[in-house]
């Protein structure tokens, strides 16, 4: 299958581009073609200015960071990120930067202003496996801007970044452009740096030049399908109390990640969890999901039982559907789409048992509802990132769980897909499911959320009801996957 069809594009000095298009349209493939990582029919030429003080090279920053342990292996498992302080299996941020600087002959002291601008200074001694998706993106960006290449291509530059970090990044990108770096930002985001002066999107294998920032105007297929019958049934609750934390504290050595957290989630509630990058959101969720070993040292109740009263991690997970960027990192991408969705029934990272007819039918209905039938036998690794995320989103709801934990679920989805998924979340919420949703931007949230918990530096600074304005009923969402 051809990704491009007679695609022509000229990027001139002084131009800074925003490249958009729906998930799977070929944006990442085009970036890889430019850097020579993808064979194409035709020619790709890059002409550097040899008189410039900037490096005569192209740097491509991938949409997420594929790090390895100290032995050069990347076979991590999800829960490992919460025990790595003892294991010491990955480099620290400082060590990773030092290694990159040595490889590229850079001065480590030049990173200080970049690290401060992105609010990354406190993480210098943290191991790579401990970082959240937003913190990994910051590490990628620090290295890229430190290098000062003549051509810088960034795939999804704002992934996982909070509002303040986005604004600071845009200032840094403006500074880089002012010094002569040519930027190509692969993004459908409309809050771009002011230096961006050219816009394009890929559709049907061709590059279309635009007059303004790419948006969801390229959505084409109506995916308003009826919710499967089994998802219209209320979850079977074991307790009216989903989670309760009493003066919970989490520390790694002298570093306090959570401080005196008091929070209760009741059956059927819809919570928004917010906080800046590194505020402790992922750690808080790891306690509820049963993944954090320090949960036994705290007063924590899950589904009506005190943590440590004899339940296993799998006893907890049977009540929960979870999606997070970190979980996506560690998921088995060799499984097929159908197997990946079905694995949610057993909380596994692959399917190891033959399903009875009733369960297989449930998987088929979910796959169909998410518009994945045409690729159900494809390996997850062969799908574009946005479609991979959609598969894992389907996996989270397959067992109609009591609690749905959605940690930045729409990373990697375009604007129309995000609207569609949030519409689905709101529809699910009408049937009694409890929801904890992590999201930075109010405009990209489902409308069903009614309570909000906000963290800052590991402490609760807000625990309140969400006051909503009267709005018209949801319009039909149109989207292409």
């Amino acid at each position: 299958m051809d990704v491009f069809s007679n695609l022509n594009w000229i990027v001139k000095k002084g131009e800074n581009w925003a490249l958009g298009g729906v998930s799977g349209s070929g944006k990442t493939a085009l970036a890889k073609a430019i850097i020579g990582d993808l064979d194409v029919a035709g020619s790709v030429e890059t002409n550097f200015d040899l008189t410039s003080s900037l490096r005569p090279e192209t740097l491509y920053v991938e949409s997420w960071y594929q790090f390895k342990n100290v032995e050069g292996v990347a076979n991590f498992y999800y829960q490992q990120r919460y025990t790595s302080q003892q294991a010491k299996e990955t480099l620290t941020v400082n060590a990773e930067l030092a290694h990159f600087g040595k490889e590229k002959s850079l001065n480590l002291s030049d990173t200080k202003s970049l690290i401060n601008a992105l609010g990354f200074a406190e993480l210098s001694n943290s191991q790579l496996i401990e970082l959240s998706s937003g913190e990994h993106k910051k590490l990628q960006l620090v290295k890229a801007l430190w290098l000062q290449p003549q051509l810088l291509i960034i795939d999804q530059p704002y992934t996982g970044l909070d509002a303040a970090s986005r604004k600071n990044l845009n200032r840094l990108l403006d500074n880089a452009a002012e010094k002569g770096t040519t930027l190509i930002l692969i993004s459908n985001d409309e809050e771009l740096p002011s230096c961006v002066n050219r816009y394009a999107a890929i559709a049907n294998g061709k590059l279309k030049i635009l007059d303004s920032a790419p948006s969801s105007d390229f959505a084409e297929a109506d995916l308003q399908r009826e919710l499967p019958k089994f998802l219209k049934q209320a979850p079977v609750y074991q307790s009216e109390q989903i989670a309760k934390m009493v003066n919970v504290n989490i520390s790694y050595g002298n570093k306090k990640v959570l401080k005196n957290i008091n929070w209760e989630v009741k059956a059927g509630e819809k919570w928004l969890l917010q906080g800046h990058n590194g505020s402790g959101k992922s750690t808080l969720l790891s306690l509820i999901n049963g993944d954090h070993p320090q949960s036994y040292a705290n007063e924590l109740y899950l589904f009506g039982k005190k943590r440590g009263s004899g339940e296993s991690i799998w006893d907890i997970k049977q009540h929960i559907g979870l999606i997070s960027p970190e979980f996506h990192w560690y998921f088995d991408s060799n499984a097929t789409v159908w197997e990946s969705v079905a694995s949610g029934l057993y909380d596994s990272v692959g399917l190891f048992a033959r399903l009875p007819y009733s369960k297989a039918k449930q998987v088929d209905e979910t796959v169909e509802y998410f518009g994945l039938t045409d690729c159900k036998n494809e390996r997850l690794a062969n799908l574009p990132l946005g479609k991979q995320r959609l598969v894992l989103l389907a996996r989270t709801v397959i067992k109609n769980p009591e609690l749905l934990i959605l940690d930045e679920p729409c990373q990697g989805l375009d604007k129309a897909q995000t609207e569609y998924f949030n519409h689905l979340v709101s529809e699910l919420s009408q049937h009694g499911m409890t929801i904890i949703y992590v999201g930075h931007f109010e405009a990209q949230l489902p409308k069903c959320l009614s309570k909000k918990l906000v963290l800052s530096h590991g402490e609760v600074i807000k625990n309140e009801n969400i006051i909503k304005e009267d709005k018209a009923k949801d319009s039909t969402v149109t989207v292409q996957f």
Side-chain angles (χ1 to χ4, degrees):
M1 178 180 176
D2 293 332
V3 179
F4 307 124
S5 175
N6 295 319
L7 187 148
N8 296 288
W9 190 21
I10 297 176
V11 177
K12 298 178 180 179
K13 187 175 182 179
E15 294 180 344
N16 297 293
W17 289 79
L19 177 63
V22 298
S23 176
S25 59
K27 303 183 296 295
T28 296
L30 181 56
K32 291 185 175 181
I34 293 173
I35 64 173
D37 278 3
L38 182 69
D39 292 332
V40 294
S43 62
V44 178
E45 298 180 3
T46 306
N47 301 305
F48 295 113
D49 180 2
L50 300 182
T51 66
S52 171
S53 61
L54 301 178
R55 285 178 177 261
E57 63 179 274
T58 300
L59 179 65
Y60 169 55
V61 179
E62 297 187 77
S63 56
W64 62 12
Y65 185 57
Q66 300 292 331
F67 61 94
K68 297 180 180 180
N69 64 17
V70 292
E71 296 178 350
V73 181
N75 59 336
F76 303 106
Y77 57 91
Y78 179 62
Q79 291 83 6
Q80 192 173 353
R81 67 187 300 254
Y82 302 111
T83 59
S84 60
Q85 186 71 19
Q86 290 74 37
K88 302 291 184 184
E89 291 192 354
T90 58
L91 294 177
T92 64
V93 170
N94 265 345
E96 175 71 9
L97 290 174
H99 176 75
F100 181 77
K102 183 178 180 181
E103 181 183 26
K104 298 292 186 178
S105 300
L106 298 169
N107 189 336
L108 189 60
S109 62
D110 292 339
T111 64
K112 186 174 181 180
S113 60
L114 297 171
I115 288 172
N116 289 336
L118 290 173
F120 205 49
E122 294 182 0
L123 295 169
S124 60
N125 293 316
S126 297
Q127 292 187 66
L128 300 185
I129 199 171
E130 296 173 334
L131 303 183
S132 67
S133 61
E135 291 162 349
H136 272 289
K137 177 58 71 174
K138 289 182 179 181
L139 178 58
Q140 287 180 294
L141 294 168
V142 167
K143 292 161 71 174
L145 294 166
W146 182 23
L147 185 66
Q148 295 187 331
Q150 288 191 31
L151 176 58
L152 177 56
I153 306 172
I154 309 179
D155 202 342
Q156 304 300 331
Y158 305 106
T159 294
L161 299 187
D162 56 41
S165 297
R166 287 188 174 207
K167 290 180 180 178
N168 289 338
L169 172 60
N170 282 344
R171 283 195 287 267
L172 292 173
L173 292 173
D174 283 334
N175 291 339
E178 188 176 342
K179 293 177 182 177
T181 293
T182 296
L183 301 172
I184 299 176
L185 306 180
I186 300 175
S187 175
N188 290 310
D189 202 290
E190 297 177 1
E191 296 181 18
L192 297 165
S194 58
C195 66
V196 171
N197 51 21
R198 300 300 306 275
Y199 308 94
I202 300 177
N204 301 317
K206 295 184 181 296
L207 189 83
K208 181 178 180 180
I209 305 301
L210 306 174
D211 295 326
S212 59
S215 66
S216 58
D217 296 338
F218 295 90
E220 297 171 0
D222 185 1
L223 281 186
Q224 285 299 305
R225 299 182 174 90
E226 185 178 359
L227 196 67
K229 186 176 180 180
F230 77 92
L231 287 176
K232 291 182 178 180
Q233 300 173 358
V236 179
Y237 285 105
Q238 304 298 310
S239 169
E240 284 299 308
Q241 184 187 83
I242 299 297
K244 183 178 180 181
M245 301 180 186
V246 180
N247 295 324
V248 166
N249 291 275
I250 299 293
S251 299
Y252 300 124
N254 295 325
K255 179 182 177 182
K256 292 186 177 181
V257 180
L258 294 178
K259 309 169 188 175
N260 298 318
I261 301 295
N262 291 280
W263 186 31
E264 184 173 12
V265 177
K266 296 180 180 179
E269 291 182 338
K270 283 76 180 172
W271 282 86
L272 171 62
L273 176 60
Q274 291 186 314
H276 58 79
N277 294 134
S279 61
K281 302 185 299 296
S282 294
T283 302
L284 185 69
L285 293 179
S286 72
L287 292 170
I288 296 176
N289 196 42
D291 289 321
H292 206 295
Q294 292 189 41
S295 60
Y296 299 104
N298 284 278
E299 189 174 350
L300 171 65
Y301 303 85
L302 299 176
F303 305 100
K305 296 180 180 179
K306 190 175 189 303
R307 190 73 169 100
S309 58
E311 78 291 348
S312 70
I313 186 174
W314 306 113
D315 292 331
I316 294 171
K317 289 184 180 298
Q318 68 179 341
H319 303 288
I320 300 172
L322 165 74
I323 181 64
S324 72
E326 294 79 17
F327 182 82
H328 191 171
W329 289 346
Y330 306 127
F331 194 82
D332 180 11
S333 61
N334 290 315
T336 67
V337 168
W338 198 94
E339 290 168 343
S340 298
V341 175
S343 70
L345 292 166
Y346 302 103
D347 303 304
S348 59
V349 293
L351 187 61
F352 307 105
R354 185 179 179 85
L355 298 186
Y357 173 78
S358 60
K359 294 296 183 183
K361 186 173 183 291
Q362 193 169 316
V363 175
D364 285 336
E365 290 175 354
T366 306
V367 167
E368 172 65 24
Y369 181 75
F370 277 85
L372 297 166
T373 301
D374 61 341
C375 62
K376 68 178 184 179
N377 295 319
E378 291 188 37
R379 290 173 59 242
L380 201 63
N382 294 336
L383 300 181
L385 185 62
K387 212 160 192 175
Q388 289 184 34
R389 183 56 57 84
L390 195 67
V391 172
L392 296 184
L393 292 172
R395 180 187 182 275
T396 66
V397 303
I398 186 65
K399 62 183 178 183
N400 197 15
E402 298 163 58
L403 172 63
L404 199 59
I405 299 178
L406 303 169
D407 187 355
E408 297 193 54
C410 296
Q411 281 190 20
L413 301 186
D414 60 41
K415 185 176 180 180
Q417 289 173 327
T418 297
E419 291 174 357
Y420 174 75
F421 175 70
N422 285 335
H423 179 87
L424 166 63
V425 172
S426 292
E427 190 170 353
L428 286 169
S429 73
Q430 296 177 20
H431 302 283
M433 193 177 289
T434 307
I435 296 170
I436 300 175
Y437 193 110
V438 179
H440 290 299
F441 301 96
E442 306 297 334
Q444 299 176 8
L445 300 174
K447 297 177 182 179
C448 64
L449 303 176
S450 58
K451 293 178 174 292
K452 179 165 65 174
L453 189 81
V454 182
L455 299 180
S456 179
H457 301 288
E459 297 182 276
V460 174
I461 60 171
K462 286 184 181 179
N463 184 337
E464 61 189 18
N465 293 326
I466 296 175
I467 301 175
K468 299 183 180 182
E469 300 176 2
D470 290 334
K471 296 183 179 179
K473 292 183 178 180
D474 294 350
S475 58
T476 298
V477 179
T478 299
V479 61
Q480 176 181 332
F481 293 104

